[in-house]
Amino acid sequence: MQINTEIIGNTLVAKLFGELDHHCCGEVRTAIDREIDKGRIKNLVFDLDGVSFMDSSGIGVILGRCKKINELEGRTLIIRARPQVDRVLELSGIKKILECG
Amino acid sequence: MNNKIENFMRLDFPSKSCNESFSRAAVAAFASQLDMNIEELADIKTAVSEAVTNSIVHGYRGIKGIIHIECRIFGDSITVTVRDEGRGIEDVKRAMQPLFTTDREGERSGMGFTVMQTFMDKLSVESVYGEGTTVTMTKTIGGEADADFGEI
């Protein structure tokens, strides 16, 4: 999985490419937490346009980051989820606790 | 459907997480001989990914083992069995509850069985604690089950 991170103001935009499953959720967690832990950002945007597949392991990693952002009183946003990814997001109920665009 | 397809395949692989993508892609490639839409194929792929991930994360937690997949196509239905000889599940009913997980630290969502249940038409989980788990799931393409569809 490829992870591109970009900081715009106090928002971290994490663009993910590939298949987000248990095998690669560790590297996603590490890459995003590294940026959060630097203390410069408050909000997080997951750009999932490049994610061709996601299962419930992806939900776990998104929720984990969302909790960290909540501690900073920031907001987490998911954008550009493809249909298969959106179906898993919908089922998980995660859409009720964070913003999806 | 006039021409009934009957086909099967088996897959054995070690419980390495890099095999998660391989196994769901292999099942999807096999399943695609049924005339199904992208969403149905994605559903099967996602359900298989959940079952295989469960075997790796929970069944074979901290130990190495083999995961066995068997796929059977009969008519318009596909049945996928994912079996491990891992730790087994102490309380299957409890494990199948949404959000239940034994692995809080690993940021598991507890949604695996819920995904399998939702994305497939039938799901059965048999487990013997200490001996392993077998997950059997069936999806009928195009909605209604075929009249000739017998035992799984």
Side-chain angles (χ1 to χ4, degrees):
Chain A
M1 162 143 266
Q2 193 191 328
I3 308 141
N4 291 355
T5 55
E6 187 188 353
I7 295 172
I8 305 167
N10 61 357
T11 299
L12 173 68
V13 180
K15 285 188 182 183
L16 310 183
F17 300 89
E19 303 200 335
L20 179 49
D21 62 5
H22 160 252
H23 178 65
C24 60
C25 62
E27 57 178 313
V28 174
R29 183 189 311 146
T30 307
I32 296 176
D33 285 0
R34 193 191 299 130
E35 294 302 326
I36 295 176
D37 294 343
K38 284 179 189 167
R40 290 203 300 259
I41 64 126
K42 197 178 168 187
N43 307 305
L44 172 61
V45 177
F46 283 97
D47 184 342
L48 302 183
D49 187 41
V51 177
S52 54
F53 174 88
M54 186 182 85
D55 62 18
S56 73
S57 300
I59 298 297
V61 79
I62 291 173
L63 268 180
R65 312 290 71 69
C66 184
K67 273 183 199 161
K68 292 191 85 158
I69 292 294
N70 283 350
E71 283 166 18
L72 302 171
E73 295 180 344
R75 289 157 67 197
T76 307
L77 178 70
I78 297 175
I79 59 166
R80 303 204 289 169
R82 295 193 202 171
Q84 184 272 337
V85 174
D86 194 58
R87 205 156 135 71
V88 177
L89 289 171
E90 190 75 57
L91 176 65
S92 73
I94 203 172
K95 286 179 146 189
K96 291 178 191 131
I97 56 168
L98 50 77
E99 297 161 66
C100 290
Chain B
M1 196 176 261
N2 296 324
N3 302 315
K4 274 204 185 304
I5 310 173
E6 279 187 64
N7 204 357
F8 74 92
M9 71 95 162
R10 288 195 190 102
L11 211 57
D12 291 343
F13 53 91
S15 58
K16 295 178 176 190
S17 64
C18 60
N19 284 330
E20 291 158 5
S21 60
F22 157 71
S23 56
R24 65 180 176 254
V27 172
F30 179 76
S32 64
Q33 63 194 279
L34 283 171
D35 186 17
M36 69 178 97
N37 60 39
I38 292 168
E39 193 180 271
E40 288 166 327
L41 193 60
D43 284 354
I44 293 169
K45 215 173 158 183
T46 315
V48 169
S49 193
E50 299 295 349
V52 170
T53 303
N54 271 353
S55 287
I56 293 171
V57 174
H58 302 291
Y60 292 123
R61 187 180 349 166
I63 46 173
K64 285 178 187 165
I66 303 292
I67 296 170
H68 312 271
I69 294 184
E70 188 177 309
C71 291
R72 279 188 179 275
I73 287 176
F74 187 82
D76 299 337
S77 292
I78 178 160
T79 297
V80 185
T81 304
V82 179
R83 182 169 60 84
D84 68 61
E85 286 120 22
R87 295 166 183 276
I89 304 169
E90 208 170 355
D91 184 344
V92 172
K93 214 175 161 187
R94 192 160 171 239
M96 288 179 79
Q97 284 172 0
L99 307 177
F100 176 82
T101 182
T102 52
D103 185 16
R104 285 273 163 219
E105 304 223 330
E107 292 188 340
R108 310 302 310 159
S109 68
M111 294 299 292
F113 282 125
T114 306
V115 169
M116 292 179 235
Q117 251 163 351
T118 310
F119 290 5
M120 302 293 277
D121 296 324
K122 278 186 200 165
L123 171 70
S124 86
V125 182
E126 286 168 55
S127 192
V128 179
Y129 195 52
E131 286 181 25
T133 301
T134 303
V135 170
T136 306
M137 42 200 179
T138 299
K139 193 170 183 72
T140 301
I141 303 311
E144 291 298 306
D146 193 280
D148 293 328
F149 181 67
E151 94 272 19
I152 304 163

